[in-house]
Amino acid sequence: MKHFISVDDTNNIDALVQKALAYKANPFADKALGINKRIGCLFLNPSMRTRLSTQIAAQNLGMESIIFNVGSEGWALEFEEEAIMSGTTVEHVKDAAPIFGKYFDILAIRTFPSLKNREDDYSELYIKQFIKYAGIPVVSLESSTLHPLQSLTDIITISEELGKANITIQRPKIVLSWAPHVKPLPQCVANSFSQWINAWGKADFVITHPEDYELSEVFTKGATITHNQDEALKDADFVYVKNWSTFNDYGKIYESDPKWMLTNKKLALTNNAKIMHCLPVRRNVELSDEILDGPNSIVTQEASNRVWAAQAVLSEILKNNG
Ligand code: CP
């Protein structure tokens, strides 16, 4: 593994999952791997779980981590080639990224989409420019269209649940269910979850959302897609709840009907499904209190697994890039 930007950066999801679970069982097994190595974590946008889990993962591997909130504390970066920088941007990524490449051994970056121009967001210019100019491995901490560390975590969590002694599910039914939200949110988590579950290939995967909330087929191809949430939830083993804004008429809110929020009544349609969400979650908008506080919610377990996903990825990069 050189970079970690999408599922395409691993050729064996299960091996990465097993590596993560081995670190969960023995966090300091590779304590010497990252000695005298440094990871720079650049945040153009806010974060709690990604920031903390990546730092803990690096520390478990003996690495030093440095956080730079470049979005709020750094110079405004320019990403367009040949830009005439007479506006608000102060420093070109072409000048900044090589410096990060000298300061750090691995560069990790969070860059959200603007949700204003789909073509721009889906070009992934920001993270591609860091890869082009930093000259060191780059890890996505969530980019314009994908959130691979979250999706790896989600498969770790599903695998962990399926491995429990009392579980006998051969091929789980996994449902990605759209939920309402008060703000237009990126499609990253839903895109990425779809991409990883499809690539994993070990589940019957169903996506349910209101009309006009189609995601890019680049990520969803292979999944069953329905606007009928009740039908989708029937016999589900895992329900992944997430809001996203519209893809075609980009970045809009068309639907806010609370009937899309998961409740215990809807849970009764499932096969006693485990409920997942990447967090942060708007309680009683996206997910009801009764679900989040109930026995089927595995959101805390899921968030705690972010450490092991990050540790597995950093370990792979350290081993492959000496
Ligand atoms: N799930 C997730 O990425 O959380 P943060 O935005 O808090 O990092």
Side-chain angles (χ1 to χ4, degrees):
M1 187 183 291
K2 170 78 176 169
H3 305 288
F4 188 72
I5 305 302
S6 80
V7 76
D8 298 331
D9 292 306
T10 177
N11 51 19
N12 192 335
I13 294 173
D14 278 327
L16 205 52
V17 167
Q18 290 313 313
K19 190 180 182 85
L21 290 173
Y23 280 134
K24 184 168 186 172
N26 191 359
F28 306 112
D30 280 328
K31 182 75 187 165
L33 186 64
I35 293 283
N36 298 330
K37 302 278 185 186
R38 192 178 293 130
I39 180 170
C41 300
L42 271 52
F43 286 89
L44 282 83
N45 311 96
S47 166
M48 183 178 96
R49 280 145 289 268
T50 308
R51 172 185 311 232
L52 297 176
S53 61
T54 305
Q55 283 186 283
I56 295 166
Q59 197 169 32
N60 287 349
L61 294 168
M63 292 187 89
E64 183 187 0
S65 62
I66 292 183
I67 301 287
F68 181 23
N69 296 315
V70 64
S72 57
E73 296 166 0
W75 300 115
L77 289 173
E78 176 63 55
F79 290 89
E80 293 289 343
E81 296 290 342
E82 299 176 22
I84 298 169
M85 291 173 53
S86 56
T88 54
T89 55
V90 178
E91 180 157 28
H92 204 285
V93 67
K94 195 186 257 191
D95 301 311
I99 300 167
F100 297 133
K102 297 293 179 203
Y103 291 165
F104 304 118
D105 301 284
I106 299 175
L107 193 58
I109 302 153
R110 170 165 280 200
T111 70
F112 283 172
S114 68
L115 291 181
K116 293 192 176 93
N117 182 316
R118 189 177 79 191
E119 202 177 321
D120 284 354
D121 288 344
Y122 274 70
S123 76
E124 291 282 12
L125 176 70
Y126 286 19
I127 204 142
K128 283 182 181 164
Q129 290 289 65
F130 276 111
I131 290 173
K132 183 173 176 185
Y133 291 117
I136 56 173
V138 171
V139 173
S140 168
L141 300 176
E142 189 169 349
S143 66
S144 292
T145 65
L146 294 170
H147 195 353
L149 282 173
Q150 180 66 55
S151 308
L152 172 58
T153 301
D154 298 332
I155 294 185
I156 291 166
T157 308
I158 291 167
S159 301
E160 193 173 39
E161 283 297 312
L162 292 173
K164 286 187 174 166
N166 60 338
I167 304 284
T168 54
I169 300 165
Q170 296 303 320
R171 187 175 173 84
K173 178 177 178 183
I174 300 177
V175 177
L176 170 61
S177 185
W178 183 91
H181 202 283
V182 294
K183 287 173 63 181
L185 295 191
Q187 292 119 29
C188 310
V189 171
N191 284 343
S192 197
F193 187 73
S194 302
Q195 185 190 47
W196 280 73
I197 295 294
N198 278 328
W200 191 45
K202 290 188 160 180
D204 293 328
F205 183 38
V206 179
I207 303 173
T208 183
H209 56 70
E211 284 182 32
D212 300 319
Y213 275 86
E214 283 71 25
L215 294 161
S216 167
E217 282 184 19
V218 169
F219 307 115
T220 62
K221 200 171 167 47
T224 302
I225 299 171
T226 173
H227 299 143
N228 186 333
Q229 190 193 36
D230 286 356
E231 186 182 288
L233 292 175
K234 195 166 178 302
D235 298 328
D237 299 299
F238 295 88
V239 181
Y240 198 95
V241 178
K242 185 70 184 91
N243 169 269
W244 61 88
S245 58
T246 53
F247 173 72
N248 289 319
D249 180 19
Y250 190 57
K252 305 283 192 311
I253 294 179
Y254 276 12
E255 176 69 86
S256 51
D257 191 335
K259 77 174 187 201
W260 278 90
M261 183 180 74
L262 205 64
T263 57
N264 277 347
K265 193 172 167 206
K266 286 178 187 283
L267 183 65
L269 298 168
T270 71
N271 182 29
N272 198 25
K274 298 296 182 191
I275 308 303
M276 304 176 72
H277 189 287
C278 63
L279 305 180
V281 64
R282 297 259 185 165
R283 276 179 176 254
N284 303 311
V285 177
E286 284 181 271
L287 263 174
S288 57
D289 277 343
E290 62 184 8
I291 292 281
L292 280 166
D293 299 332
N296 291 60
S297 170
I298 54 171
V299 298
T300 306
Q301 174 189 346
E302 184 184 357
S304 71
N305 283 337
R306 291 293 307 270
V307 171
W308 318 116
Q311 192 164 336
V313 166
L314 295 182
S315 167
E316 282 293 299
I317 290 175
L318 286 170
K319 282 179 179 164
N320 290 323
N321 296 277

